[in-house]
Structures are given as C-alpha cells and as structure tokens.
Amino acid sequence: MSSGNDCQPQTLTKPTFDEREAAELVDRVFGLKVSWIRSLPSYDDQNFHVRVSAEGADEYVLKITNSEDSQQPDLIEAQTQAMMFLSAEGAGLGSKKYIVRLLTYLPGTPVAKISTNAQILYEIGRLAASVDKVLSAKFQHPSVKSLHRGQFIWNLANVPLLDQYIYALGQNKYCAVVEQVIEQFKGKVIPKLSSFRACINHGDLNDHNILVDSSSASLVNPQYRVSGILDFSDMSYGYYVFEVAIAIMYMMIESPDPLSVGGHVLAGFESILPLTAEERGALFLLVSGRFAQSLVIAAHTALLYPENKEYLTITAKTGWKHLMSMFELGQEAVEKKWFETAQGYTHHASAP
C-alpha cells in the first residue's frame, strides 16, 4: 500500500494502462500470449491478473510499478528477491518510465472476504513473526541496502511525518484524535526506538494482502488456514514490534469485535518472537499510529487520485470508528484485554 517514495507521495505517477495495453506489454516484454486478463485493485501501482495461452494455462500477476518507485530499481529488485526467497524457504506511457514485473499468480481468498476467528488471527500473528524473522536472519542480496528507507511515509517510525498531510482531512471531526496520536507518538515511541529489536518488515500485512484457503470440503462451515502473502512494496528496515502492530491494526478493520483482535494476533506472534517489556509498552500507540497513517495518507492520496477513491479509503469505512474506540477505552484497558488474551494461550499451551 505504498504511497510513493519517502515522504513525498505527491510526486508519484500511477500507471494508467488499459487491459489491451497490458496484454500487449506481456507479449512484448515477456513473450507470452494473453488469453484472459482483468484489472486488480491497487493503491499506487497497477496490477492485472493474467492467464496466458501456454501449456498448463499458467496464471500470473502483471505488476506495473508507479513512476517514482520505478526510479529505484534496487528497491524493486529487493522486493522481488525477498518474494522468491520466502517462496523457496516455504514461509511506458508518454514520457514516464515504469518497471514491469510478471509474478506467479498465487491463488487464495483474501482475509477481508472471510469471517475471521481466533485461530486465523493467531496464524496471522505467527506469519508476521516468521516472515520478519527469516528475512532478517537469512535474506542476503546486494539490493537489500535499498530497504533502508529513512523517510518512507509508510514506515511506522515516520508517524510524525503525518503533520504535513493532516490538511487532507479538511474539517474532519476526528482531526484532534490524529493530532493526539502524533504528539503521543513523538513523546513516547520515538525516544524508545533504539530499545526495539531491528529487522526487515514486510510492512503491509493487511486483510487484502494475506490469503487463506479452505482446509475442509464443507461449504457450510469451511475451515480456513493461512496460505500466502502478497505485495512487498512497503518492505523496509524497521522493528519486530512494528509488524505485529500493523497486523493487529488491519485485522481489526473487518472484525465485528475489533478490540479483541489484538490478543490473538499477539499470541501468535509471541509464539515465535516474544516481545520485550519496552516493545509491549509501545504496542497501543503503534497500532494507533498505523491507523493514523492509513487514514491520513488515504485522504491525501484520494485528493490526488479521486478516480481511485473507493479503494484508497477502504480502511476509513471502519478505521475512524476503531481508532476512536481505542482512545475512548484508553491504553490501559485495551492493553489489559490484549495481554490477558495472549496470556491465555500460554496457559493453554502449558496445561497438562
């Protein structure tokens, strides 16, 4: 869900290829004849689901990167290599130039389209920890240095950069809450960053980027399991606690009981990587910070690209309500709910 290079999303140019042009691109660049193609939703790149008329009717995702990120081939290479690495581990328009990639199509159902339960949320927490852990421990490539994206607007450390985009909310009644999040983040999170454990973050484990498939034949009561992850555009160096906070925030979006989500995701994450006391103490503001990032940047980008407003503001449909609920209940009460739920998994696991 990246919004351009560093802290300047306004310099981004989103590709505007139609399906015919995209099919011609697949033929010209990759030498494959397209038998079927359809557009996929995207934030600031352009994506197409492609089926080629080759033996086996292979399916792919054609990803056309926005003009700004296309000027950073090392960054795109790092994202692509990370996807290939994790898979192996088992875990031109006008004067603009665009980097084009053809990626293997990964079948599955986005989490956003199912009713989540405690088990799925726990698995998502485990996934978040596992991805960061294996990337940080084993992923080596010359292009990995490009993931040091100090001013990248979607890196959770950069919540204070939202100051320059709050204007996009207009007279929105929730402005005061966002301002409160930013100020508390500056005072309580930024000074503690040096005490957090650093790693490579996927950075965008949202409910549209995590896939599940059904492990049962029952149509009435399907049993889902996590089957894959998409979209590595927001990868950057960050901290382990960032990833769990981001996952908690996005899993809250579709949940009928959003404040209960955090404990299940946290339990899954801590089954792989237990958080330190400092990291746990920052979790509430990190989740709040991600809500603020998503809501403010979406509002800003929707002003630039009104034709894509529906997709850009998906989070806003319930995000404001959830952020308000967290602040109305208060940090102590929310953390108590999360930590007690997570502790319940520990007791269950240690029971005879």
Side-chain angles (χ1 to χ4, degrees):
M1 193 176 283
S2 155
S3 188
N5 178 43
D6 293 344
C7 60
Q8 299 181 9
Q10 67 272 18
T11 63
L12 171 153
T13 299
K14 180 175 180 174
T16 56
F17 291 81
D18 60 29
E19 292 181 353
R20 177 187 59 79
E21 292 169 328
E24 291 175 353
L25 202 57
V26 173
D27 185 5
R28 186 171 75 251
V29 177
F30 302 103
L32 297 171
K33 298 295 183 182
V34 173
S35 62
W36 179 89
I37 186 170
R38 70 175 176 86
S39 178
L40 293 171
S42 62
Y43 203 93
D44 52 23
D45 297 327
Q46 206 178 4
N47 303 321
F48 294 89
H49 181 186
V50 178
R51 185 174 296 131
V52 299
S53 52
E55 184 177 352
D58 292 334
E59 296 183 58
Y60 300 95
V61 171
L62 175 69
K63 190 171 187 68
I64 307 174
T65 302
N66 67 77
S67 62
E68 187 69 24
D69 287 346
S70 289
Q71 296 177 39
Q72 303 182 78
D74 281 353
L75 175 62
I76 306 303
E77 177 68 10
Q79 295 169 6
T80 305
Q81 291 294 330
M83 286 187 280
M84 295 169 63
F85 168 77
L86 288 172
S87 178
E89 286 287 311
L93 205 59
S95 61
K96 297 292 182 182
K97 294 183 179 180
Y98 303 97
I99 287 179
V100 180
R101 291 174 286 173
L102 195 63
L103 310 173
T104 303
Y105 178 75
L106 187 62
T109 301
V111 168
K113 294 186 177 181
I114 69 167
S115 296
T116 57
N117 55 36
Q119 181 59 35
I120 285 292
L121 295 171
Y122 181 87
E123 283 189 32
I124 288 169
R126 285 182 60 87
L127 173 73
S130 298
V131 166
D132 285 12
K133 185 176 182 180
V134 72
L135 281 175
S136 299
K138 298 182 180 180
F139 180 51
Q140 297 180 341
H141 191 271
S143 61
V144 76
K145 63 183 183 297
S146 65
L147 298 179
H148 288 286
R149 306 166 75 179
Q151 296 296 298
F152 181 47
I153 191 64
W154 284 106
N155 188 301
L156 200 44
N158 290 328
V159 165
L161 295 180
L162 295 178
D163 277 333
Q164 61 192 300
Y165 301 115
I166 288 183
Y167 77 90
L169 300 178
Q171 298 302 310
N172 192 308
K173 62 181 180 180
Y174 302 120
C175 270
V177 177
V178 172
E179 291 173 348
Q180 185 179 351
V181 170
I182 295 171
E183 289 310 305
Q184 289 192 25
F185 202 96
K186 290 176 181 177
K188 298 180 179 180
V189 176
I190 297 300
K192 293 183 179 179
L193 288 179
S194 61
S195 69
F196 299 162
R197 291 166 297 168
C199 68
I200 296 174
N201 289 144
H202 173 277
D204 197 14
L205 291 178
N206 68 56
D207 48 333
H208 292 271
N209 285 344
I210 300 174
L211 300 179
V212 296
D213 62 20
S214 178
S215 58
S216 72
S218 171
L219 297 178
V220 178
N221 185 30
Q223 301 298 310
Y224 292 103
R225 63 177 182 84
V226 174
S227 60
I229 52 177
L230 307 174
D231 194 352
F232 285 69
S233 299
D234 286 359
M235 281 180 65
S236 66
Y237 275 99
Y239 304 91
Y240 285 114
V241 69
F242 282 10
E243 201 76 90
V244 66
I246 290 168
I248 287 173
M249 175 263 167
Y250 284 120
M251 292 309 108
M252 289 176 66
I253 294 298
E254 301 291 339
S255 174
D257 186 13
L259 292 178
S260 71
V261 163
H264 302 295
V265 177
L266 178 61
F269 191 92
E270 291 197 314
S271 71
I272 303 293
L273 283 166
L275 297 183
T276 65
E278 291 85 357
E279 290 165 344
R280 272 192 161 211
L283 197 54
F284 176 87
L285 282 176
L286 289 171
V287 173
S288 302
R290 187 54 166 203
F291 268 117
Q293 283 182 315
S294 183
L295 295 164
V296 172
I297 298 171
H300 169 74
T301 311
L303 291 179
L304 300 178
Y305 305 103
E307 71 280 0
N308 203 28
K309 183 176 181 179
E310 182 178 356
Y311 178 76
L312 292 169
T313 56
I314 286 174
T315 302
K317 293 178 181 178
T318 54
W320 286 117
K321 181 176 65 176
H322 296 342
L323 180 58
M324 292 296 291
S325 295
M326 286 179 63
F327 269 74
E328 287 169 1
L329 193 57
Q331 179 171 349
E332 184 177 347
V334 172
E335 288 182 341
K336 184 174 185 290
K337 189 174 184 66
W338 289 349
F339 298 160
E340 286 183 353
T341 299
Q343 185 67 21
Y345 280 84
T346 304
H347 287 161
H348 179 75
S350 61

